[in-house]
Amino acid sequence: MNFTRWSARLPGTQRRAAARTDDVVPTPDRLGEGSVPAARAERLTDEALPVPAVDELPVREVLDRVPALVALVHGPDHRLAYVNDAYVAAFGLRPPGEPAREALPELDEIGLLPLLDQVLRSGKPRTVKSRKAPGGRSYTFTCTPVTEGDGGGGGGVLVFATDVTDHAEAAERLRASERRQRETAVTLQRSLLPQELEEPDDLRIAATYQPGGTEAAVGGDWYDVITLGGGRTALVIGDVMGRGVRAAAVMGQLRTAVRAYARLDLPPHEILQLLDGLAMEIDANQIATCVYAIHDPNEGRLVYASAGHLPILVRDESGVVLRADEPTGPPLGTGGWMHTSGSIALGPGSTAVLYTDGLVERRDEDLDEGIAALERALSGATGTPQVVCDRLVRSAGVTADHDDDVAVLVLQHPAHTGPDSELFRIAALELLGGVEAAPRARAFASGVLTSWRFPVDLHDLGVLAVSELVANSLQHGTPPMRLRLRRTDRRLIVEVTDGDDHLPRRRRAEPGDESGRGIAIVATIASNWGSRRTPGGGKAVWCEFALSK
């Protein structure tokens, strides 16, 4: 091939000067006043030698001195016409005239030959960034079409490769560092979430957490299930704004605080009030949304408070989905707001879903549209809580490369029928009158526990607990008073309520004291005991006995 017939041009140098000036130096009489001699013209003197124009430089000599790798191929099978010295130094001598597949196997190995076809067909340059060639070095390849200068037809491609190994290695080190940071944050996040969910007697629960895709930093989504005793269960889900290890660390502190506050058995809005103050102390610049809810099987309702979080969705046994919209306060960490509690029915056969914004929020959709889509998915979701949980995640289009964290908590209040119904029973008695209420309560408890076919030792312990709790209420409480007995498949629960909000505490009674032993006796014989204030005023004191399996 005659190399001089080719107009080989480096990328970015394909335009020639629109006009050229003569080599003759203009005389002063040919210059207008204030005019400047042409840039291409040279003033010849004894001290200065003429400088050749760019067009006069030998193309081969220029390309041989370029530090980048240059190769020229021509024809549909890309026969090799030329490689420069840098190319030879990188890959060795290459036989001219041979097709690129045989002459330039390194380009074939990195998949560049199809790109040569595209450039030859389209007549447009193409660039491929940072491809690793044989030998381990990385190059950015620019393929530029060239044509014969004399109009003889045919065409070729100029391959121009720049060594970017240092940049590629730096980028890989940066990606590796980001992967390690992400893995650290994900590990921290997962370690702070509950490893196993607590299993309440009256609820079936499942949860899932999926971090954002590999390009997104992990967020602060979290959830928890806390058994409060007396058959009641606290459920919480939240989202710390921001991403990375800091968000995960703040999440862990809030989750730990929630578990501690839950032991106080306070109403949901009071729990959020405490969390709000704590969030400001942890980091005044960090805010979080949260829903704290309590399920009481005796009431068949879910009492909740929300700090800027998305609404709870409840599907009743007929498939109708309700949205618990109100009340909702600002996120935790904003301060100056008095949260309030609301409630929504959650009877037997119902399913509730608590979730974070990653499940329903999309950049190209309104948030309400995402919630509405989740409602539609929930209305047709049946099966176990885990099945429902997985179905909701799939319906929302959450994949491994999702751009946000997703946390979902699904709880079901099963409707017990058939043989199971015998394992879940409840009986209640209004404590009317004076001191005669105590023997009446003992007789009632004895009859109920006998009908529930408890063994003699558990029967006697249950009657003793009823006697002590009723006596304590009669002595220190005020009407109305009520005794309630509940059994589940795992435990017997005794609860007494009255109108006084003074909570009893366990104390050590001295030998001469005439009171103070009732709660101590209950705490000794029962598996667990506790007390709480009731929403309408007053208190409830309870104890429970584990059933042998």
Side-chain angles (χ1 to χ4, degrees), residues 384-405:
T384 66
Q386 189 61 59
V387 170
V388 173
C389 193
D390 294 340
R391 179 171 179 177
L392 296 181
V393 171
R394 287 196 305 271
S395 69
V398 177
T399 59
D401 58 351
H402 195 60
D403 61 358
D404 195 5
D405 290 36

Side-chain angles (χ1 to χ4, degrees), residues 228-229 232 261-267 294 531-533 542:
L228 302 177
R232 301 164 73 249
Y261 294 151
R263 299 308 174 192
L264 302 176
D265 213 342
L266 298 172
I294 296 176
S531 62
R532 70 179 186 279
R533 291 186 174 88
W542 55 269

Side-chain angles (χ1 to χ4, degrees), residues 246-328:
R246 178 59 182 167
V250 172
M251 176 276 289
Q253 294 178 77
L254 290 178
R255 176 176 174 257
T256 301
V258 168
R259 294 194 70 86
Y261 294 151
R263 299 308 174 192
L264 302 176
D265 213 342
L266 298 172
H269 65 275
E270 293 189 27
I271 295 291
L272 292 191
Q273 213 69 51
L274 293 172
L275 287 175
D276 186 32
L278 178 64
M280 295 180 65
E281 293 179 8
I282 293 174
D283 189 341
N285 298 319
Q286 197 91 40
I287 61 175
T289 63
C290 178
V291 166
Y292 183 88
I294 296 176
H295 176 254
D296 189 340
N298 299 319
E299 306 295 336
R301 303 191 69 80
L302 197 64
V303 181
Y304 66 91
S306 174
H309 203 78
L310 299 172
I312 300 173
L313 301 182
V314 176
R315 176 186 182 272
D316 64 19
E317 57 183 346
S318 64
V320 177
V321 177
L322 304 176
R323 183 187 301 191
D325 277 327
E326 299 294 340
T328 299

Side-chain angles (χ1 to χ4, degrees), residues 43-202:
R43 189 177 301 276
L44 302 178
T45 67
D46 294 340
E47 292 79 11
L49 296 176
V51 179
V54 173
D55 292 340
E56 298 172 359
L57 296 176
V59 174
R60 183 187 296 271
E61 182 178 349
V62 172
L63 294 180
D64 279 339
R65 296 186 179 183
V66 170
L69 280 57
V70 179
L72 180 65
V73 298
H74 70 95
D77 52 356
H78 309 301
R79 294 185 177 275
L80 179 62
Y82 164 79
V83 291
N84 71 343
D85 291 347
Y87 200 105
V88 172
F91 299 114
L93 290 172
R94 292 293 181 263
E98 295 295 326
R101 192 173 300 278
E102 288 78 26
L104 304 173
E106 57 277 356
L107 300 188
D108 187 22
E109 187 172 333
I110 62 177
L112 204 63
L113 297 187
L115 187 67
L116 299 181
D117 294 334
Q118 295 179 20
V119 171
L120 196 62
R121 286 195 305 267
S122 66
K124 297 180 180 180
R126 295 286 188 273
T127 298
V128 175
K129 295 183 178 180
S130 191
R131 289 285 181 90
K132 182 169 288 189
R137 301 198 69 80
S138 298
Y139 298 89
T140 290
F141 292 88
T142 299
C143 301
T144 304
V146 294
T147 57
E148 290 194 28
D150 61 359
V157 179
L158 180 71
V159 180
F160 188 88
T162 305
D163 192 328
V164 293
T165 303
D166 292 342
H167 297 285
E169 291 177 350
E172 180 57 34
R173 288 193 297 270
L174 179 60
R175 287 192 292 268
S177 175
E178 291 175 345
R179 285 194 297 269
R180 287 192 297 270
Q181 292 180 10
R182 172 181 166 75
E183 290 169 0
T184 300
V186 171
T187 301
L188 175 61
Q189 174 85 334
R190 290 193 182 279
S191 67
L192 294 174
L193 291 173
Q195 304 305 302
E196 293 184 5
L197 293 178
E198 296 185 18
E199 299 180 359
D201 295 355
D202 297 276

